[in-house]
Amino acid sequence: MEDRKGRRIIMFPLPFPGHLNPMLQLAGIFHRRGFSVIVIHTSFNFPDPSRHPHFTFRTVGDENTLTQSEASGLDLVGLLRELNHRFAEPFRRALAEETAEEESGEAVSCLVSDAIWGFAGEVADEVRVSRMVLRTGGAASFCAFAAFPLLRDKGYLPIQDSRLEEPVTELPPLKVKDLPVIETSKPGELYRIVSDMVKGVKSSSGAIWNTFEDLEGPPLDDLRSQFRDVPIFPIGPFHKHLEDFKPTENQESINAWLDKQEPRSAVYVSFGSLAAISREEFLEIAWGLSNSGQSFVCVIRQGFVRGTEWIEALPRGFVEKLGQKGKFVKWANQHDVLSHRAVGAFWTHCGWNSTLESICEGVPMICTPCFTDQHVNSRYVSDVWRVGVRLERSEMDRWQIEKVIRRVMVESFGYEMRERSLKLKERAEICLGQDGSSSKSLDRLVSHVLSFDSSFAFASERIS
Ligand code: UDP
C-alpha cells in the first residue's frame, strides 16, 4: 500500500455486476496507490458497502428509483435508457456536492465514470472536474461499436439474416453475425446509446481498459490511432492486481464439491448476470450436460430461465439421478471456481469479465454468445486466441452440447486448446509483472490522474 496522496477519486459505475465488479476492482487499485475513493451509486442494485470498507459510498436517486419489477419489464436497451433518464439529475447534484466539499481536506482529482453513462461528460464539465471513463468491455468490441456509423452506411447494420456468415471486411475477423447488437424493438435507441458512449470516450481525459497489450494489441493500436487525443490505459486484468479482492458469496458448498472432483474433469457453466434463456433451452442444457458424462457445476441465477423461479422446469427425479455428478447453484464466486484445479472448461456467454477471468486461469471456453459485445469476444476466443470453441445458441440442442463438451474435455482438440490457454495465462502474468505493459500503464495512469489538479485549474482559467 502506498502513502496516502491526499487526493480523492469519484467513481460512478453502471449498476450491473459486469460493470460494477471491474469498477470496484479499479477503485481497489486506486486505493492501493494512495487515493481515497468515493463511489456514487444508483439506488437501483446498490452494492453492499460493508464488503468494501475502504471506500465511501453515496446513493443517488432514492426518490425516483427503478424497481426490480419495472426493470424486468424492460429489454436491455430500455433499461439503459431508463437508467440514463432517472439518474442524470441525482448524479448531477451529488457530484456538485462532492466536488464542493472541502471538509476532508482532500481535493477531488477526477471522476471515473462507466462509458455507458451518456450524461457524465456534461455533468463533469459543469462542475469543472476532469473525467476519465472506464470501458468494462474489450478493445476489439469497442472498435466495432465505434464503427457503427460506417457499418450502417455500408448496409451491414441492421443485420439481415441472409448475410449472417458474410465477413465484415472492415473489421476482420468478424462476420456479420458477430456485430455487437442486441435484439430490441427500438434499434434507434441502441444506436444512440452506442454513439453517446463513443463520443463520451472521445471527449474524456483518458480511457481505462480492463485488458492487456498481449491480448488485444492490434485493437488497442486501432483505438490509439482513432482517438489520438485520448490517452488509453490498458491496465488489466484488474482482478489480478488485487489477489485479496474476494466477493463473499457463500462458496463453501461449491468448493467442497469441486474438491471431490478429479483435476480438469468438471465443466463450469455460467451465462453471467443479464442473459436469459427459455425453459426449452434450459432443458437442453441440463440434458446435454448430464448426457456428456462429465461432472459440472451450473449457475442458474434467479430470472435466468424465463417464466420460472429456479430449476423447477427439470423433470421429476432429474437432480436425484444426477447425484454428485452435477450441481446447480444460484450464484458462484466465479474467480474461485475458475481457479480450482477441478475445472477443465468454462461454458460461457462470453461477457468480457468472464472471458478475461477464464483467460487468467488458463481455462478453455465453450462460447455461446447472447448479445452485444459477447459476439465479438466469442469470435476472438475461437478464431484469434484459439482458446475456445463456439456453440451457437441456435444450435444448442442436447446432442450438440454433449458433442462439444466431449470434444473440449476428452479429445485431443481440447488438449491443444488447453495448452494455448495456459500460454495465454502466462502472457497475462507477464503483462502484470513489474516491467509488464499493464503495470507500466498503471504507473502512467497514476501520474496522469495526479496531473489533473493543476491542469484543470489551468484549463478553467483559460475558459473564463
Ligand atoms: N459472476 C459471478 N458468479 C456467477 C456469475 C457471474 O461471480 O455465478 C461474475 C463474473 O465473475 C463476472 C460478472 O459476474 O465478473 C459477469 O460479468 P460478464 O462481463 O462476464 O457478464 P455480464 O453479466 O455483464 O453479462
Side-chain angles (χ1 to χ4, degrees):
M1 175 83 66
E2 288 185 13
D3 289 343
R4 308 316 299 160
K5 291 197 162 52
R7 295 274 183 274
R8 290 188 291 168
I9 296 185
I10 299 179
M11 312 197 80
F12 187 39
L14 200 71
F16 303 115
H19 292 252
L20 180 61
N21 292 353
M23 184 68 93
L24 291 175
Q25 289 156 6
L26 180 61
I29 293 170
F30 277 129
H31 184 263
R32 279 259 286 260
R33 288 300 190 106
F35 292 92
S36 300
V37 173
I38 299 172
V39 181
I40 298 184
H41 199 284
T42 64
S43 48
F44 174 74
N45 276 354
F46 195 78
D48 176 2
S50 69
R51 287 174 51 199
H52 308 280
H54 301 309
F55 314 147
T56 306
F57 283 85
R58 173 163 185 172
T59 328
V60 291
D62 269 336
E63 65 286 359
N64 187 24
T65 195
L66 193 64
T67 62
Q68 289 297 341
S69 71
E70 282 175 308
S72 61
L74 297 165
D75 68 14
L76 189 55
V77 171
L79 186 53
L80 291 175
R81 179 202 54 222
E82 209 46 41
L83 287 170
N84 270 287
H85 174 68
R86 289 201 197 199
F87 292 105
E89 201 41 50
F91 173 69
R92 173 174 275 121
R93 287 196 297 270
L95 189 67
E97 283 168 25
E98 289 296 343
T99 46
E101 206 174 275
E102 281 168 12
E103 275 166 33
S104 69
E106 288 186 321
V108 171
S109 280
C110 68
L111 165 71
V112 179
S113 64
D114 190 291
I116 302 267
W117 286 125
F119 53 80
E122 197 184 304
V123 175
D125 286 350
E126 276 171 24
V127 298
R128 298 185 160 196
V129 66
S130 302
R131 174 185 55 98
M132 297 194 71
V133 287
L134 166 63
R135 175 59 195 150
T136 57
S141 61
F142 193 83
C143 289
F145 283 125
F148 264 30
L150 174 91
L151 297 169
R152 292 177 72 187
D153 278 355
K154 297 229 165 180
Y156 291 113
L157 292 178
I159 289 181
Q160 296 151 45
D161 285 348
S162 57
R163 298 183 65 183
L164 291 178
E165 295 297 330
E166 232 177 77
V168 179
T169 47
E170 294 79 358
L171 289 172
L174 300 188
K175 295 181 178 185
V176 170
K177 67 179 180 184
D178 303 326
L179 294 176
V181 292
I182 184 167
E183 258 179 55
T184 173
S185 54
K186 299 205 167 110
E189 282 199 16
L190 172 68
Y191 297 146
R192 196 178 47 72
I193 290 168
V194 169
S195 151
D196 285 352
M197 172 176 79
V198 175
K199 277 191 213 148
V201 170
K202 249 184 200 152
S203 61
S204 74
S205 303
I208 306 168
W209 249 274
N210 189 10
T211 189
F212 56 100
E213 293 286 350
D214 286 12
L215 186 69
E216 292 202 286
L220 282 166
D221 286 343
D222 230 27
L223 288 178
R224 288 184 186 105
S225 64
Q226 280 189 60
F227 297 77
R228 284 182 191 282
D229 297 334
V230 185
I232 302 272
F233 301 96
I235 66 163
F238 291 176
H239 67 289
K240 288 288 175 184
H241 285 274
L242 304 158
E243 286 300 348
D244 56 345
F245 179 86
K246 287 264 184 271
T248 58
E249 279 85 24
N250 186 355
Q251 181 69 12
E252 279 166 23
S253 78
I254 301 176
N255 285 344
W257 183 87
L258 286 168
D259 287 345
K260 289 190 200 124
Q261 310 305 314
E262 292 295 318
R264 294 170 192 173
S265 67
V267 183
Y268 168 58
V269 188
S270 171
F271 283 62
S273 62
L274 292 168
I277 58 171
S278 68
R279 205 183 169 94
E280 291 71 29
E281 286 175 308
F282 171 54
L283 287 175
E284 293 308 306
I285 289 175
W287 279 114
L289 285 167
S290 164
N291 294 347
S292 76
Q294 298 296 137
S295 54
F296 68 87
V297 55
C298 177
V299 177
I300 304 294
R301 65 180 156 70
Q302 269 168 333
F304 177 52
V305 184
R306 282 189 216 102
T308 68
E309 278 298 308
W310 192 43
I311 58 169
E312 67 275 16
L314 291 174
R316 195 181 297 237
F318 186 95
V319 172
E320 291 71 16
K321 197 156 167 236
L322 207 53
Q324 284 302 302
K325 196 76 187 166
K327 192 170 174 62
F328 292 100
V329 297
K330 289 190 174 156
W331 191 253
N333 181 350
Q334 192 157 293
H335 298 162
D336 275 6
V337 175
L338 287 172
S339 60
H340 199 286
R341 57 162 183 76
V343 173
F346 180 15
W347 183 6
T348 169
H349 70 313
C350 276
W352 182 247
N353 295 285
S354 296
T355 304
L356 210 53
E357 288 159 16
S358 206
I359 286 171
C360 285
E361 303 307 334
V363 176
M365 286 169 258
I366 298 169
C367 307
T368 303
C370 298
F371 49 74
T372 61
D373 64 330
Q374 297 156 20
H375 296 291
V376 179
N377 305 337
S378 167
R379 178 62 61 198
Y380 272 71
V381 168
S382 61
D383 290 26
V384 179
W385 308 315
R386 296 169 61 228
V387 293
V389 61
R390 189 133 162 165
L391 172 57
E392 296 289 353
R393 190 161 170 194
S394 54
E395 293 165 8
M396 203 173 63
D397 62 36
R398 62 191 72 183
W399 297 278
Q400 280 302 328
I401 293 169
E402 180 185 343
K403 201 165 126 191
V404 171
I405 290 177
R406 295 190 60 75
R407 201 166 166 225
V408 173
M409 295 297 281
V410 295
E411 293 176 11
S412 60
F413 170 82
Y415 176 79
E416 286 158 20
M417 225 160 55
R418 170 163 285 275
E419 292 290 290
R420 285 193 289 274
S421 303
L422 291 171
K423 288 207 175 100
L424 199 52
K425 173 186 175 178
E426 272 172 31
R427 302 303 310 169
E429 284 161 1
I430 289 169
C431 285
L432 286 165
Q434 206 182 355
D435 290 320
S437 59
S438 293
S439 306
K440 284 187 181 158
S441 208
L442 176 57
D443 290 341
R444 275 199 307 118
L445 172 62
V446 170
S447 311
H448 187 63
V449 169
L450 286 172
S451 75
F452 283 146
D453 306 308
S454 46
S455 63
F456 199 86
F458 175 64
S460 310
E461 272 164 29
R462 278 197 311 192
I463 292 162
S464 54

